Amino acid sequence: MAWIDDQLVARGIRDTRVLDAMRRVPRHEFVEHETQGLAYADRALPIGDGQTISQPYMVAAMTEALRLHGRERVLDVGTGSGYQAAILAELAREVVTIERRPELADAARKRLDSLGYRNVRVLVGDGSVGYVDDAPYDGILVAAASPRVPESLKHQLADGGRLVIPVGPPDQQRLTIVCRDGDRFVESVHEGCVFVPLVGAEGWPE
Ligand code: SAM
């Protein structure tokens, strides 16, 4: 698959499990009918309700940052189309994904179910405060932009767990990784990115 080499390997994605998952998951099943021809293009695409499915490279980079080995429980905030959740489901034991827009969550649930993903649960709610019922998580991935790292998400990480989240103003953010080490949270700031806003109690106001 040329797009894997051109968009992912050429930009530094090295984790072979992530590359294999990106090869396996049929991205064209997660985009709208009118944009299916662009499903593997190097860009984000509209998925309705003013929301987007992230660019393939960004999905791969954020997934790789979680360093999954296969036994983890992962929280995915901002289900959208369900594509990111499917990638995570290929790489972890259990995925809980949460979306604030019920229509998007319903469509994603049906899509993931019809594709045979049995280790993903799609919930409706405000993921800016995480989902405490199933915490702690070995990995938390937030696919929407937050003004700061939500405290609730940090505290729902397992010891050794990793959180990846775009942090910054609406027009430009930086991917931020938080690693939990006991009671310490070690934060590092990485590449620039642009995501739709995380709207909720620990994100942006509505
Ligand atoms: N990961 C998605 C995919 O693979 O298609 C793309 C996510 S899209 C860039 C961001 C999503 O976050 C939108 O669907 C939006 O409705 C959702 N969102 C925004 N704020 C949220 C919140 N507080 N809790 C849950 N979802 C939220």
Side-chain angles (χ1 to χ4, degrees), residues 30 47 51-54 59 76-85 98-101 104 125-129 141 143-144 195-201:
F30 292 83
I47 54 170
Q51 303 305 315
T52 53
I53 176 173
S54 308
V59 172
D76 172 48
V77 177
T79 312
S81 68
Y83 177 69
Q84 176 74 71
I98 184 160
E99 168 60 52
R100 68 184 284 268
R101 293 173 184 261
L104 287 178
D126 175 10
S128 75
V129 296
L141 189 155
F195 277 80
V196 297
L198 180 74
V199 178

Side-chain angles (χ1 to χ4, degrees), residues 20-70:
D20 286 344
M22 297 290 295
R23 268 188 206 101
R24 276 196 302 273
V25 176
R27 185 170 161 95
H28 57 275
E29 300 280 0
F30 292 83
V31 302
E32 294 179 319
H33 191 67
E34 309 81 68
T35 54
Q36 279 202 340
L38 292 171
Y40 299 91
D42 187 17
R43 51 173 288 192
L45 291 170
I47 54 170
D49 278 349
Q51 303 305 315
T52 53
I53 176 173
S54 308
Q55 175 196 27
Y57 166 72
M58 198 43 70
V59 172
M62 293 177 82
T63 306
E64 186 173 64
L66 291 183
R67 299 190 186 160
L68 300 173
H69 296 287

Side-chain angles (χ1 to χ4, degrees), residues 115-173:
L115 289 169
Y117 287 101
R118 300 285 172 256
N119 59 339
V120 185
R121 242 169 340 125
V122 181
L123 307 174
V124 176
D126 175 10
S128 75
V129 296
Y131 183 64
V132 74
D133 292 15
D134 283 349
Y137 302 97
D138 306 296
I140 301 179
L141 189 155
V142 184
S146 183
R148 65 194 72 81
V149 179
E151 286 297 311
S152 300
L153 295 183
K154 283 165 59 171
H155 290 278
Q156 288 174 30
L157 279 178
D159 194 10
R162 296 167 71 81
L163 160 66
V164 55
I165 180 170
V167 175
D171 53 334
Q172 176 71 54
Q173 306 96 38

